[in-house]
Each structure stands twice: as C-alpha cells, then as structure tokens.
Amino acid sequence: MKKYLLVFFLILCLQYSTLGQNNHQLTAGFESLLSSQQSMPFWFTANQNGRYPISGNTIQVISLSGKTHFDSLLHTNLRLDLGAHLLSSYTNEFQFQANELYSKLYWKGWKLEGGWFKEPEYFMRLSSTNGNIDRSNNARPYPRIRFGTNEFIPFLFWKNYFSFKAEYDEGWLNDERWVMGTRLHHKSLYLKTKITKNSSLSAGLNHYVMWGGTSSSPQYGQLPQSLSDYFIYITGSIGGPNFPITDQFNVAGNQFGSYRVQYDLTIKDIQFSAYFNHLFEDHSGMEFRNGPDNLYGLFAQIGKHKVLESAIYEFMYTLHQGGSAHVQGSTGLDNYYNHGVYHSGYSYDGRMMVSPLFGPVIYKDGIAFGIANNRIIMHHLGLAGELSSTISWNGKFTYSKNYGTYSSPYDPVKNQLASLLNLAYHSSTFPLDISLSVAADFGQLYDHRVGAMLKISKTF
C-alpha cells in the first residue's frame, strides 16, 4: 500500500505545472521542552500527532511545514492541496520523522486524500479527544487513502433540510507492532437536519476494522487478507475456516467504532454545541448493552477578542464494558481498544489513536502490547481567550479516576490531574510567533511532574 500512496502523491505533484490561482505557506519552528521527570507532562505530548518522543526530560525540536493550494485545476472546479510536515528532535539522540506528507483533491464538496495526514481539528483544540472518543490526533498520522465528502453537503432533493457527511478509507499500520503490516479500514456516515433557523442536529457512526498482516505469534502467522477476505472484514461478518478460531465464533478482525450525536445552537453571537459519543467493540455495544460508557461534551464559542472566547466541558465514563463477566455470543469484558490477536491494540507508533486518556501503552520485547488502562471516569475543562490584540491564552484541566482493565485492575484506583496553561504572542509588526506553556501532572497514574515549553516559529 505504501508504494501506491507514494505514486498517488507524485502524480498529483505534477499538477504544479497547471495554471490556476494558488497560494503557498511555509513555516519554520523551534521548540524546547523541559520536564522535572524523565517524561513530559501529559498535555505536552497528548493530541500532538506524535510530534515528540515519549521519554526524556529535555526535548529540542526543529520543524519545517509547508502547504500549497491550487484553485481551478485544468480550468475546472478541481482544487488541490499539497502539504508536508518534517520534524527533527533531540533527546539522547537525533530522531527524524515526516509527520505529514499528503495530496488532497476537492471537487464540488467531495474529496480524495492520500498520504500521511492528520484529522481536521474541532472545538478550538480544547477537547480532550477532538470531540470524538475514537478519532483523536494523539498518534502520528499513518499512511492511508480516503474518499469522502468535505464536511456536510446537501442531500438530493431534501437539500434545504438535510445534509450528509461520509468517508471511506484504507490505511496501513507500518510501525513495529505485534501483527506486522496490519491494515486499518474506516468508514463513517453522518446525517444532519435543520431544526430551526439557528439550530441543527447531526448523528452518525464510525466503523473501524484492523485486518490482515502477519502475527508474531506462530499460532496465527499470516492472517487472511485476500479480496474475498476483505469483504468479510468490512461487512462485520463471521470469519471462515481460514480465519483464527476466535473470528469463526465472533466477527473477523478487530472491529470497533462509535455512535455520535451533536446538537448545534446559535443564540445572538454565541454558538453552542452539545455532543454525545457512544463506543462499541461488538454487536452488544452497538445495541447499547454497555449503555453507561459514553463521552459527553458541551462547547461554547462566546465571541472574538474577549478574555474568554471559548470553553468546553467533557465527561467520559467507560467502566461498564458490558459487564464484568463475558457471556459467549452476548456481552461482557469488552476490553476497549485491546484485542486477543491484534495485541498492539488501536495504537500506532507507540501512541493510542483514541482519546489519550486511554493508556499507558504496555510494551513486550519493545513492541506495543495493548493498553493498561481503559476503565476511566474523566472530567475535562478547556478554556481559551485573548488578553490583548497580540496575546492569546488557553488552558486545559483534566481529572481522571483510572481503574485499569477488568483482567488487571488498579488496586487502589489511580487518581490523576493533568493541567496546562499556554500564552501565545502574535503581531503583524513582529517577525516571530512565540508561545510559552507550563504544565503539571499530579496523581498515581503518572509521575508527579512539572514542565515548560517554548515555541518560536516564522511563517513565510
């Protein structure tokens, strides 16, 4: 799959010679992180697209990112985005990584994306998980191809009342993991309806399947990944005789997802969003037999140029998991984002791809081997605003009670508080953008640690 992504990227790069309006942006940056422990405070590394190493009490990072946009390709409605984000970091040694390298084509509300790219960011980046429990920007982007809509588009002849958003993508988890070469399928469908002139309601689901690859366990070895096997995976069907025995009694591959509902309301200049996210690991979860396990959120966009411009509150509960005992063919012990065959779980490059509250990642022989903590109660508050025309601020405060897993519970329960405060300076009369952050963690899940981060960047 990697070679197809690169070919796709190179073909689109040829469009540089195409006439059309275009704009380009290049940003160079330097970041210096300091921690009182041998690991960084939680909110320095969480939801950062895997930008920083996992361990180290000092990290220095040089970054270079660029993107270019073309309108009216071939004198049509086609639009093209090309982008890259390169990083070089130093702790005890130098590390280099390409966080993003992508091409994106847009046409009349539709999109085709290829390469390594992060998810769109919502709620002013104040959410604990980008507003979606199983689709954060916590881990480094993995290579994939995606076809879908560019946000919501009108739905046929009901376009004055209904719109929809859909995506279908195939990716390749090419990191070091228990099942090498794991494929990741994702599809989503959301519908939105206008309730009044100033309010709307949207609802939909995300569905994921980890499939194929070669297991490090001799018991499984090469897992099924033919074209006929692929249709078994993506339809959530029971595996055939060439599948692991567990797939023959359940569904093929590692299947999971979430339902999501969001209500948006505008009152004068204030925009409100209330959302609900229900996660599932199997049919019992899809039928809400793990009903208590949800993420709830309330976001308010109060206005611009105010001391307090945006605020978010989120509550997450994942203790139930269908019950403390598994009933064959029914429910129980859902063990979110872990799996008996795909032992590395829903992680990439050592980071969870879901809410960063799920963790830490367990390692076996230097390879991710699931997560230690998926039974969580969380309260999260995010705030942002402006102190002046040149100084903005934001803060995150997250309290969690962590219970481990049903098979390996924490006794006693581990309480954790993670906090961050950031100040950023930007002025059209000063050549550099500067931000300073301080963060602190207290509790039993991670070490007590305090840290500071300085960012300096220049956009050309």
Side-chain angles (χ1 to χ4, degrees), residues 285-326:
M286 297 181 73
E287 296 168 357
F288 289 90
R289 297 186 201 175
N290 60 338
D293 294 345
N294 303 295
L295 170 74
Y296 305 88
L298 181 62
F299 173 76
Q301 181 77 50
I302 300 167
K304 295 184 177 181
H305 310 303
K306 298 177 182 291
V307 173
L308 180 61
E309 297 179 342
S310 307
I312 196 170
Y313 169 74
E314 291 181 328
F315 172 74
M316 184 175 72
Y317 183 99
T318 64
L319 298 189
H320 189 268
Q321 303 202 11
S324 59
H326 179 68

mmCIF file of all heavy atoms in Angstrom, residues 285-326:
data_model
loop_
_atom_site.group_PDB
_atom_site.id
_atom_site.type_symbol
_atom_site.label_atom_id
_atom_site.label_comp_id
_atom_site.label_asym_id
_atom_site.label_seq_id
_atom_site.Cartn_x
_atom_site.Cartn_y
_atom_site.Cartn_z
ATOM 1 N N GLY A 285 -22.329 -3.886 22.095
ATOM 2 C CA GLY A 285 -22.117 -2.451 22.261
ATOM 3 C C GLY A 285 -22.952 -1.640 21.292
ATOM 4 O O GLY A 285 -23.443 -0.555 21.624
ATOM 5 N N MET A 286 -23.094 -2.154 20.057
ATOM 6 C CA MET A 286 -23.936 -1.468 19.077
ATOM 7 C C MET A 286 -25.394 -1.444 19.517
ATOM 8 O O MET A 286 -26.154 -0.562 19.130
ATOM 9 C CB MET A 286 -23.806 -2.145 17.714
ATOM 10 C CG MET A 286 -22.402 -2.072 17.122
ATOM 11 S SD MET A 286 -22.266 -2.858 15.503
ATOM 12 C CE MET A 286 -23.145 -1.650 14.484
ATOM 13 N N GLU A 287 -25.767 -2.419 20.352
ATOM 14 C CA GLU A 287 -27.127 -2.479 20.889
ATOM 15 C C GLU A 287 -27.229 -1.809 22.259
ATOM 16 O O GLU A 287 -28.222 -1.979 22.967
ATOM 17 C CB GLU A 287 -27.557 -3.943 20.988
ATOM 18 C CG GLU A 287 -27.636 -4.641 19.635
ATOM 19 C CD GLU A 287 -27.765 -6.153 19.759
ATOM 20 O OE1 GLU A 287 -27.737 -6.667 20.916
ATOM 21 O OE2 GLU A 287 -27.896 -6.820 18.715
ATOM 22 N N PHE A 288 -26.196 -1.078 22.656
ATOM 23 C CA PHE A 288 -26.158 -0.285 23.888
ATOM 24 C C PHE A 288 -26.227 -1.138 25.154
ATOM 25 O O PHE A 288 -26.691 -0.673 26.201
ATOM 26 C CB PHE A 288 -27.283 0.765 23.901
ATOM 27 C CG PHE A 288 -27.067 1.893 22.939
ATOM 28 C CD1 PHE A 288 -27.534 1.817 21.637
ATOM 29 C CD2 PHE A 288 -26.384 3.033 23.320
ATOM 30 C CE1 PHE A 288 -27.332 2.853 20.737
ATOM 31 C CE2 PHE A 288 -26.172 4.075 22.443
ATOM 32 C CZ PHE A 288 -26.646 3.979 21.139
ATOM 33 N N ARG A 289 -25.729 -2.373 25.085
ATOM 34 C CA ARG A 289 -25.668 -3.171 26.311
ATOM 35 C C ARG A 289 -24.545 -2.702 27.228
ATOM 36 O O ARG A 289 -24.449 -3.145 28.369
ATOM 37 C CB ARG A 289 -25.509 -4.655 25.972
ATOM 38 C CG ARG A 289 -26.692 -5.224 25.208
ATOM 39 C CD ARG A 289 -26.546 -6.723 25.024
ATOM 40 N NE ARG A 289 -27.367 -7.198 23.918
ATOM 41 C CZ ARG A 289 -27.366 -8.448 23.464
ATOM 42 N NH1 ARG A 289 -26.574 -9.346 24.046
ATOM 43 N NH2 ARG A 289 -28.124 -8.804 22.447
ATOM 44 N N ASN A 290 -23.671 -1.858 26.696
ATOM 45 C CA ASN A 290 -22.680 -1.161 27.531
ATOM 46 C C ASN A 290 -23.105 0.297 27.666
ATOM 47 O O ASN A 290 -22.280 1.214 27.654
ATOM 48 C CB ASN A 290 -21.288 -1.255 26.903
ATOM 49 C CG ASN A 290 -21.233 -0.624 25.506
ATOM 50 O OD1 ASN A 290 -22.259 -0.480 24.841
ATOM 51 N ND2 ASN A 290 -20.052 -0.237 25.069
ATOM 52 N N GLY A 291 -24.391 0.517 27.808
ATOM 53 C CA GLY A 291 -25.004 1.841 27.745
ATOM 54 C C GLY A 291 -24.359 2.950 28.543
ATOM 55 O O GLY A 291 -24.290 4.086 28.070
ATOM 56 N N PRO A 292 -23.846 2.688 29.751
ATOM 57 C CA PRO A 292 -23.270 3.801 30.530
ATOM 58 C C PRO A 292 -21.991 4.375 29.947
ATOM 59 O O PRO A 292 -21.577 5.480 30.332
ATOM 60 C CB PRO A 292 -22.989 3.146 31.896
ATOM 61 C CG PRO A 292 -23.873 1.952 31.951
ATOM 62 C CD PRO A 292 -23.949 1.463 30.542
ATOM 63 N N ASP A 293 -21.320 3.647 29.040
ATOM 64 C CA ASP A 293 -19.990 4.051 28.585
ATOM 65 C C ASP A 293 -20.083 5.045 27.426
ATOM 66 O O ASP A 293 -20.350 4.671 26.277
ATOM 67 C CB ASP A 293 -19.185 2.821 28.148
ATOM 68 C CG ASP A 293 -18.878 1.901 29.313
ATOM 69 O OD1 ASP A 293 -19.028 2.346 30.472
ATOM 70 O OD2 ASP A 293 -18.488 0.744 29.074
ATOM 71 N N ASN A 294 -19.842 6.306 27.751
ATOM 72 C CA ASN A 294 -20.023 7.373 26.763
ATOM 73 C C ASN A 294 -19.077 8.534 27.056
ATOM 74 O O ASN A 294 -18.549 8.676 28.156
ATOM 75 C CB ASN A 294 -21.463 7.909 26.798
ATOM 76 C CG ASN A 294 -22.494 6.832 26.556
ATOM 77 O OD1 ASN A 294 -22.567 6.258 25.480
ATOM 78 N ND2 ASN A 294 -23.297 6.542 27.569
ATOM 79 N N LEU A 295 -18.928 9.365 26.031
ATOM 80 C CA LEU A 295 -18.292 10.674 26.169
ATOM 81 C C LEU A 295 -19.362 11.730 25.941
ATOM 82 O O LEU A 295 -20.104 11.672 24.956
ATOM 83 C CB LEU A 295 -17.176 10.850 25.131
ATOM 84 C CG LEU A 295 -16.578 12.261 25.003
ATOM 85 C CD1 LEU A 295 -15.680 12.581 26.194
ATOM 86 C CD2 LEU A 295 -15.783 12.416 23.700
ATOM 87 N N TYR A 296 -19.462 12.688 26.864
ATOM 88 C CA TYR A 296 -20.401 13.793 26.740
ATOM 89 C C TYR A 296 -19.609 15.095 26.666
ATOM 90 O O TYR A 296 -18.597 15.246 27.368
ATOM 91 C CB TYR A 296 -21.351 13.861 27.934
ATOM 92 C CG TYR A 296 -22.123 12.592 28.209
ATOM 93 C CD1 TYR A 296 -21.594 11.600 29.034
ATOM 94 C CD2 TYR A 296 -23.384 12.385 27.655
ATOM 95 C CE1 TYR A 296 -22.296 10.436 29.298
ATOM 96 C CE2 TYR A 296 -24.099 11.218 27.915
ATOM 97 C CZ TYR A 296 -23.545 10.252 28.733
ATOM 98 O OH TYR A 296 -24.242 9.101 28.992
ATOM 99 N N GLY A 297 -20.068 16.037 25.841
ATOM 100 C CA GLY A 297 -19.360 17.298 25.726
ATOM 101 C C GLY A 297 -20.287 18.477 25.530
ATOM 102 O O GLY A 297 -21.364 18.352 24.928
ATOM 103 N N LEU A 298 -19.862 19.633 26.039
ATOM 104 C CA LEU A 298 -20.583 20.893 25.847
ATOM 105 C C LEU A 298 -19.562 21.969 25.519
ATOM 106 O O LEU A 298 -18.634 22.208 26.307
ATOM 107 C CB LEU A 298 -21.370 21.272 27.096
ATOM 108 C CG LEU A 298 -22.183 22.574 27.019
ATOM 109 C CD1 LEU A 298 -23.253 22.476 25.934
ATOM 110 C CD2 LEU A 298 -22.816 22.891 28.363
ATOM 111 N N PHE A 299 -19.701 22.596 24.351
ATOM 112 C CA PHE A 299 -18.754 23.607 23.877
ATOM 113 C C PHE A 299 -19.496 24.908 23.616
ATOM 114 O O PHE A 299 -20.621 24.909 23.097
ATOM 115 C CB PHE A 299 -18.090 23.127 22.588
ATOM 116 C CG PHE A 299 -17.218 24.153 21.923
ATOM 117 C CD1 PHE A 299 -15.960 24.446 22.430
ATOM 118 C CD2 PHE A 299 -17.656 24.833 20.787
ATOM 119 C CE1 PHE A 299 -15.145 25.388 21.817
ATOM 120 C CE2 PHE A 299 -16.851 25.780 20.169
ATOM 121 C CZ PHE A 299 -15.585 26.058 20.685
ATOM 122 N N ALA A 300 -18.851 26.030 23.959
ATOM 123 C CA ALA A 300 -19.418 27.354 23.708
ATOM 124 C C ALA A 300 -18.370 28.246 23.060
ATOM 125 O O ALA A 300 -17.255 28.374 23.573
ATOM 126 C CB ALA A 300 -19.916 27.988 25.004
ATOM 127 N N GLN A 301 -18.744 28.832 21.908
ATOM 128 C CA GLN A 301 -17.915 29.837 21.234
ATOM 129 C C GLN A 301 -18.551 31.176 21.546
ATOM 130 O O GLN A 301 -19.582 31.545 20.970
ATOM 131 C CB GLN A 301 -17.882 29.569 19.736
ATOM 132 C CG GLN A 301 -17.019 30.537 18.943
ATOM 133 C CD GLN A 301 -15.538 30.240 19.078
ATOM 134 O OE1 GLN A 301 -15.102 29.115 18.898
ATOM 135 N NE2 GLN A 301 -14.764 31.250 19.413
ATOM 136 N N ILE A 302 -17.961 31.903 22.486
ATOM 137 C CA ILE A 302 -18.605 33.094 23.039
ATOM 138 C C ILE A 302 -18.431 34.310 22.149
ATOM 139 O O ILE A 302 -19.296 35.184 22.069
ATOM 140 C CB ILE A 302 -18.055 33.362 24.461
ATOM 141 C CG1 ILE A 302 -18.349 32.154 25.346
ATOM 142 C CG2 ILE A 302 -18.657 34.619 25.064
ATOM 143 C CD1 ILE A 302 -17.600 32.150 26.659
ATOM 144 N N GLY A 303 -17.325 34.392 21.437
ATOM 145 C CA GLY A 303 -17.072 35.536 20.569
ATOM 146 C C GLY A 303 -15.584 35.732 20.390
ATOM 147 O O GLY A 303 -14.761 34.990 20.921
ATOM 148 N N LYS A 304 -15.215 36.752 19.619
ATOM 149 C CA LYS A 304 -13.812 37.050 19.366
ATOM 150 C C LYS A 304 -13.382 38.281 20.141
ATOM 151 O O LYS A 304 -14.187 39.128 20.491
ATOM 152 C CB LYS A 304 -13.568 37.243 17.873
ATOM 153 C CG LYS A 304 -13.790 35.983 17.040
ATOM 154 C CD LYS A 304 -13.449 36.221 15.580
ATOM 155 C CE LYS A 304 -13.609 34.945 14.758
ATOM 156 N NZ LYS A 304 -13.261 35.156 13.329
ATOM 157 N N HIS A 305 -12.067 38.344 20.382
ATOM 158 C CA HIS A 305 -11.449 39.482 21.056
ATOM 159 C C HIS A 305 -12.026 39.689 22.450
ATOM 160 O O HIS A 305 -12.331 40.808 22.862
ATOM 161 C CB HIS A 305 -11.613 40.755 20.212
ATOM 162 C CG HIS A 305 -11.209 40.582 18.789
ATOM 163 N ND1 HIS A 305 -9.952 40.162 18.418
ATOM 164 C CD2 HIS A 305 -11.920 40.728 17.633
ATOM 165 C CE1 HIS A 305 -9.898 40.080 17.096
ATOM 166 N NE2 HIS A 305 -11.072 40.403 16.605
ATOM 167 N N LYS A 306 -12.173 38.579 23.183
ATOM 168 C CA LYS A 306 -12.635 38.612 24.564
ATOM 169 C C LYS A 306 -11.640 37.861 25.443
ATOM 170 O O LYS A 306 -10.896 37.002 24.965
ATOM 171 C CB LYS A 306 -14.012 37.951 24.690
ATOM 172 C CG LYS A 306 -15.128 38.634 23.905
ATOM 173 C CD LYS A 306 -16.420 37.857 24.046
ATOM 174 C CE LYS A 306 -17.547 38.489 23.239
ATOM 175 N NZ LYS A 306 -17.944 39.777 23.831
ATOM 176 N N VAL A 307 -11.622 38.193 26.709
ATOM 177 C CA VAL A 307 -10.743 37.485 27.635
ATOM 178 C C VAL A 307 -11.099 36.002 27.657
ATOM 179 O O VAL A 307 -10.234 35.139 27.705
ATOM 180 C CB VAL A 307 -10.843 38.099 29.043
ATOM 181 C CG1 VAL A 307 -10.054 37.253 30.049
ATOM 182 C CG2 VAL A 307 -10.326 39.525 29.041
ATOM 183 N N LEU A 308 -12.394 35.686 27.603
ATOM 184 C CA LEU A 308 -12.843 34.303 27.480
ATOM 185 C C LEU A 308 -13.648 34.178 26.189
ATOM 186 O O LEU A 308 -14.744 34.712 26.077
ATOM 187 C CB LEU A 308 -13.698 33.887 28.671
ATOM 188 C CG LEU A 308 -14.228 32.444 28.642
ATOM 189 C CD1 LEU A 308 -13.064 31.454 28.617
ATOM 190 C CD2 LEU A 308 -15.143 32.171 29.831
ATOM 191 N N GLU A 309 -13.079 33.494 25.216
ATOM 192 C CA GLU A 309 -13.714 33.346 23.910
ATOM 193 C C GLU A 309 -14.370 31.984 23.716
ATOM 194 O O GLU A 309 -15.393 31.870 23.038
ATOM 195 C CB GLU A 309 -12.689 33.552 22.797
ATOM 196 C CG GLU A 309 -12.080 34.931 22.763
ATOM 197 C CD GLU A 309 -11.047 35.075 21.651
ATOM 198 O OE1 GLU A 309 -10.562 34.040 21.147
ATOM 199 O OE2 GLU A 309 -10.727 36.228 21.292
ATOM 200 N N SER A 310 -13.767 30.923 24.278
ATOM 201 C CA SER A 310 -14.254 29.567 24.066
ATOM 202 C C SER A 310 -14.123 28.774 25.357
ATOM 203 O O SER A 310 -13.198 28.995 26.147
ATOM 204 C CB SER A 310 -13.468 28.855 22.960
ATOM 205 O OG SER A 310 -13.453 29.619 21.774
ATOM 206 N N ALA A 311 -15.049 27.839 25.547
ATOM 207 C CA ALA A 311 -14.994 26.973 26.719
ATOM 208 C C ALA A 311 -15.584 25.617 26.361
ATOM 209 O O ALA A 311 -16.516 25.524 25.555
ATOM 210 C CB ALA A 311 -15.751 27.590 27.891
ATOM 211 N N ILE A 312 -15.027 24.565 26.954
ATOM 212 C CA ILE A 312 -15.526 23.217 26.722
ATOM 213 C C ILE A 312 -15.494 22.440 28.030
ATOM 214 O O ILE A 312 -14.588 22.623 28.856
ATOM 215 C CB ILE A 312 -14.697 22.501 25.637
ATOM 216 C CG1 ILE A 312 -15.425 21.272 25.106
ATOM 217 C CG2 ILE A 312 -13.319 22.117 26.151
ATOM 218 C CD1 ILE A 312 -14.776 20.668 23.866
ATOM 219 N N TYR A 313 -16.517 21.601 28.223
ATOM 220 C CA TYR A 313 -16.524 20.655 29.330
ATOM 221 C C TYR A 313 -16.850 19.278 28.764
ATOM 222 O O TYR A 313 -17.775 19.133 27.961
ATOM 223 C CB TYR A 313 -17.550 21.016 30.406
ATOM 224 C CG TYR A 313 -17.740 19.893 31.406
ATOM 225 C CD1 TYR A 313 -16.770 19.616 32.365
ATOM 226 C CD2 TYR A 313 -18.877 19.088 31.358
ATOM 227 C CE1 TYR A 313 -16.915 18.566 33.255
ATOM 228 C CE2 TYR A 313 -19.040 18.037 32.257
ATOM 229 C CZ TYR A 313 -18.056 17.779 33.199
ATOM 230 O OH TYR A 313 -18.205 16.731 34.074
ATOM 231 N N GLU A 314 -16.072 18.268 29.174
ATOM 232 C CA GLU A 314 -16.316 16.903 28.729
ATOM 233 C C GLU A 314 -16.318 15.958 29.930
ATOM 234 O O GLU A 314 -15.525 16.126 30.866
ATOM 235 C CB GLU A 314 -15.242 16.449 27.733
ATOM 236 C CG GLU A 314 -15.325 17.160 26.392
ATOM 237 C CD GLU A 314 -14.267 16.693 25.408
ATOM 238 O OE1 GLU A 314 -13.166 16.328 25.856
ATOM 239 O OE2 GLU A 314 -14.554 16.709 24.196
ATOM 240 N N PHE A 315 -17.204 14.971 29.841
ATOM 241 C CA PHE A 315 -17.262 13.909 30.845
ATOM 242 C C PHE A 315 -17.211 12.573 30.112
ATOM 243 O O PHE A 315 -17.948 12.350 29.149
ATOM 244 C CB PHE A 315 -18.548 14.002 31.667
ATOM 245 C CG PHE A 315 -18.749 12.827 32.587
ATOM 246 C CD1 PHE A 315 -17.989 12.705 33.743
ATOM 247 C CD2 PHE A 315 -19.692 11.849 32.293
ATOM 248 C CE1 PHE A 315 -18.159 11.617 34.596
ATOM 249 C CE2 PHE A 315 -19.877 10.761 33.145
ATOM 250 C CZ PHE A 315 -19.104 10.643 34.303
ATOM 251 N N MET A 316 -16.321 11.695 30.552
ATOM 252 C CA MET A 316 -16.192 10.375 29.936
ATOM 253 C C MET A 316 -16.294 9.293 31.005
ATOM 254 O O MET A 316 -15.697 9.398 32.081
ATOM 255 C CB MET A 316 -14.861 10.244 29.198
ATOM 256 C CG MET A 316 -14.697 8.936 28.444
ATOM 257 S SD MET A 316 -13.164 8.864 27.456
ATOM 258 C CE MET A 316 -11.923 8.697 28.750
ATOM 259 N N TYR A 317 -17.058 8.240 30.687
ATOM 260 C CA TYR A 317 -17.250 7.103 31.586
ATOM 261 C C TYR A 317 -17.112 5.827 30.770
ATOM 262 O O TYR A 317 -17.818 5.655 29.769
ATOM 263 C CB TYR A 317 -18.636 7.183 32.226
ATOM 264 C CG TYR A 317 -18.934 6.094 33.237
ATOM 265 C CD1 TYR A 317 -18.803 6.344 34.601
ATOM 266 C CD2 TYR A 317 -19.367 4.835 32.833
ATOM 267 C CE1 TYR A 317 -19.087 5.352 35.539
ATOM 268 C CE2 TYR A 317 -19.644 3.836 33.757
ATOM 269 C CZ TYR A 317 -19.510 4.104 35.113
ATOM 270 O OH TYR A 317 -19.790 3.125 36.037
ATOM 271 N N THR A 318 -16.189 4.922 31.169
ATOM 272 C CA THR A 318 -16.002 3.679 30.412
ATOM 273 C C THR A 318 -15.817 2.478 31.344
ATOM 274 O O THR A 318 -15.112 1.526 31.008
ATOM 275 C CB THR A 318 -14.778 3.780 29.472
ATOM 276 O OG1 THR A 318 -13.584 3.925 30.242
ATOM 277 C CG2 THR A 318 -14.908 4.953 28.513
ATOM 278 N N LEU A 319 -16.471 2.494 32.496
ATOM 279 C CA LEU A 319 -16.280 1.423 33.468
ATOM 280 C C LEU A 319 -17.091 0.175 33.164
ATOM 281 O O LEU A 319 -16.688 -0.936 33.505
ATOM 282 C CB LEU A 319 -16.660 1.908 34.881
ATOM 283 C CG LEU A 319 -15.864 3.061 35.491
ATOM 284 C CD1 LEU A 319 -16.239 3.231 36.953
ATOM 285 C CD2 LEU A 319 -14.374 2.836 35.349
ATOM 286 N N HIS A 320 -18.234 0.310 32.525
ATOM 287 C CA HIS A 320 -19.180 -0.799 32.402
ATOM 288 C C HIS A 320 -18.659 -1.913 31.489
ATOM 289 O O HIS A 320 -18.558 -3.070 31.876
ATOM 290 C CB HIS A 320 -20.527 -0.275 31.902
ATOM 291 C CG HIS A 320 -21.611 -1.295 31.938
ATOM 292 N ND1 HIS A 320 -21.906 -2.110 30.861
ATOM 293 C CD2 HIS A 320 -22.468 -1.641 32.918
ATOM 294 C CE1 HIS A 320 -22.907 -2.909 31.181
ATOM 295 N NE2 HIS A 320 -23.276 -2.644 32.420
ATOM 296 N N GLN A 321 -18.385 -1.590 30.239
ATOM 297 C CA GLN A 321 -17.838 -2.506 29.231
ATOM 298 C C GLN A 321 -18.681 -3.772 29.069
ATOM 299 O O GLN A 321 -18.164 -4.855 28.790
ATOM 300 C CB GLN A 321 -16.387 -2.850 29.557
ATOM 301 C CG GLN A 321 -15.519 -1.603 29.665
ATOM 302 C CD GLN A 321 -14.043 -1.844 29.473
ATOM 303 O OE1 GLN A 321 -13.622 -2.904 29.066
ATOM 304 N NE2 GLN A 321 -13.252 -0.812 29.757
ATOM 305 N N GLY A 322 -19.984 -3.626 29.220
ATOM 306 C CA GLY A 322 -20.890 -4.755 29.026
ATOM 307 C C GLY A 322 -20.984 -5.681 30.211
ATOM 308 O O GLY A 322 -21.701 -6.685 30.161
ATOM 309 N N GLY A 323 -20.242 -5.413 31.286
ATOM 310 C CA GLY A 323 -20.274 -6.254 32.468
ATOM 311 C C GLY A 323 -18.934 -6.883 32.764
ATOM 312 O O GLY A 323 -18.038 -6.941 31.918
ATOM 313 N N SER A 324 -18.782 -7.385 33.989
ATOM 314 C CA SER A 324 -17.511 -7.928 34.471
ATOM 315 C C SER A 324 -17.306 -9.394 34.127
ATOM 316 O O SER A 324 -16.272 -9.976 34.472
ATOM 317 C CB SER A 324 -17.416 -7.747 35.989
ATOM 318 O OG SER A 324 -18.512 -8.405 36.636
ATOM 319 N N ALA A 325 -18.278 -10.017 33.457
ATOM 320 C CA ALA A 325 -18.141 -11.416 33.029
ATOM 321 C C ALA A 325 -18.591 -11.523 31.585
ATOM 322 O O ALA A 325 -19.578 -10.904 31.174
ATOM 323 C CB ALA A 325 -18.981 -12.331 33.925
ATOM 324 N N HIS A 326 -17.849 -12.316 30.813
ATOM 325 C CA HIS A 326 -18.187 -12.463 29.398
ATOM 326 C C HIS A 326 -19.171 -13.610 29.197
ATOM 327 O O HIS A 326 -18.978 -14.710 29.716
ATOM 328 C CB HIS A 326 -16.932 -12.731 28.571
ATOM 329 C CG HIS A 326 -17.203 -12.921 27.107
ATOM 330 N ND1 HIS A 326 -17.644 -11.902 26.297
ATOM 331 C CD2 HIS A 326 -17.121 -14.024 26.316
ATOM 332 C CE1 HIS A 326 -17.810 -12.353 25.068
ATOM 333 N NE2 HIS A 326 -17.501 -13.646 25.057
#
